[in-house]
Amino acid sequence: MTVPARVSQQNPRALTPLAESIARLQTGTEIVFGTPAGDWTICSDLLAEPTRFDLWRKDLAEWMVEQYGESDDRATAGYVMGWYLHVPGYLAGLLFHTARRVPTLRPSDMAFRLNTAGRPHPDGTAVLSDEFACLPDDPASNHPAATVVADEAALAAILRARYAAHAAQFVASFGQVVRFGRRQLWAAATDMLEYGPWAAGRQFGDENAGVTDAAMILPEKLEPFVSASTLHFTDEGWKRKRNSCCFHYVLPDAEPCTACPRTCS
């Protein structure tokens, strides 16, 4: 469905700083601001009807049968869990890393589009509100949609809190239709919160900075997350210890994922 963006009413004709930040993002998936064209799902609508996750998993199961000869309930749940949490986690990491801005991340302020040609993963993200948090030296800090915080640590904290609020709604909704416990669901939320800034650093040519951002966002084990950032440097470069499992390994002849917690020390 298509939805209108909520633009600050104090000056609705003002150029939206968050839209400018999003327009500068060049990634492998589409990220847009405002009314998306085509068939998009508002996150809050999905979370309000948990049975819609079953329909998503049914489409995924059909794809798995085509690819592997069979599907598995754990794998469909694990894939969808990671894919959904990637939507707010990656967006937050991208904007924090590239612009030092944090959108609201409310489920009602985000939408995503599923790929319809093959594997049904999210291939687009839409931001529906121009509200954002930023630093005092942000050139748009006086914009009516801006909330200014003191420093980078405070900005990381507001990102963590906003993401946690979104993830909590996902855990409550998705937990009704899968057999995963809260610890597994929050482990996945932790992984995607860490992954977002790390991936942004790699995407934009400064992996070390992405690792630093992840450590700033997850400096220690902070409830409801299950660990601090696990990123560490090895002979093969930066690696992490995942807390959750997508259960890809249970599919016939499937290789374990990189950093699979069941196979990596």
Side-chain angles (χ1 to χ4, degrees):
M1 64 183 298
T2 57
V3 289
R6 289 212 313 275
V7 179
S8 296
Q9 295 304 306
Q10 295 96 322
N11 187 6
R13 294 186 179 180
L15 190 62
T16 303
L18 196 60
E20 291 182 321
S21 296
I22 290 169
R24 288 193 291 268
L25 297 176
Q26 299 294 324
T27 68
T29 59
E30 182 180 7
I31 302 176
V32 299
F33 176 83
T35 306
D39 190 11
W40 291 68
T41 299
I42 304 174
C43 291
S44 57
D45 288 349
L46 175 59
L47 298 181
E49 298 182 58
T51 54
R52 291 175 61 180
F53 282 113
D54 293 335
L55 300 177
W56 187 358
R57 291 175 63 194
K58 180 181 178 182
D59 289 342
L60 175 57
E62 292 175 357
W63 176 83
M64 286 180 173
V65 170
E66 292 176 359
Q67 297 296 311
Y68 299 100
E70 64 183 68
S71 66
D72 185 279
D73 284 347
R74 291 168 296 174
T76 60
Y79 273 47
V80 167
M81 174 177 66
W83 285 343
Y84 182 91
L85 291 165
H86 181 270
V87 171
Y90 185 46
L91 175 71
L94 280 171
L95 289 172
F96 183 84
H97 179 77
T98 60
R100 284 301 190 255
R101 290 174 177 173
V102 178
T104 71
L105 300 181
R106 288 188 291 259
S108 58
D109 292 340
M110 300 190 68
F112 64 92
R113 180 189 61 207
L114 290 180
N115 177 50
T116 56
R119 192 179 71 167
H121 62 278
D123 66 358
T125 300
V127 179
L128 310 178
S129 170
D130 66 350
E131 298 173 37
F132 66 100
C134 65
L135 299 173
D137 62 355
D138 190 299
S141 60
N142 63 345
H143 191 276
T147 297
V148 181
V149 298
D151 52 31
E152 288 188 337
L155 192 64
I158 201 169
L159 184 158
R160 186 171 57 246
R162 289 178 175 183
Y163 174 83
H166 189 141
Q169 294 186 54
F170 170 76
V171 168
S173 178
F174 195 57
Q176 298 178 47
V177 294
V178 296
R179 296 180 180 179
F180 295 161
R182 285 181 57 83
R183 205 277 178 193
Q184 169 76 347
L185 293 167
W186 277 109
T190 305
D191 287 340
M192 288 305 168
L193 181 59
E194 176 185 54
Y195 177 79
W198 180 36
R202 290 186 295 176
Q203 180 81 33
F204 290 92
D206 194 344
E207 184 176 14
N208 289 342
V211 170
T212 299
D213 288 347
M216 193 185 313
I217 294 167
L218 280 171
E220 57 183 307
K221 182 181 179 298
L222 298 168
E223 293 292 338
F225 303 106
V226 304
S227 77
S229 174
T230 63
L231 284 161
H232 57 282
F233 196 74
T234 72
D235 292 340
E236 299 177 347
W238 288 103
K239 301 291 183 181
R240 66 171 178 153
K241 181 180 179 181
R242 281 179 46 185
N243 297 286
S244 64
C245 184
C246 67
F247 295 95
H248 174 77
Y249 76 94
V250 304
L251 298 170
D253 300 321
E255 294 292 330
C257 302
T258 301
C260 175
R262 296 179 179 271
T263 60
C264 299
S265 58

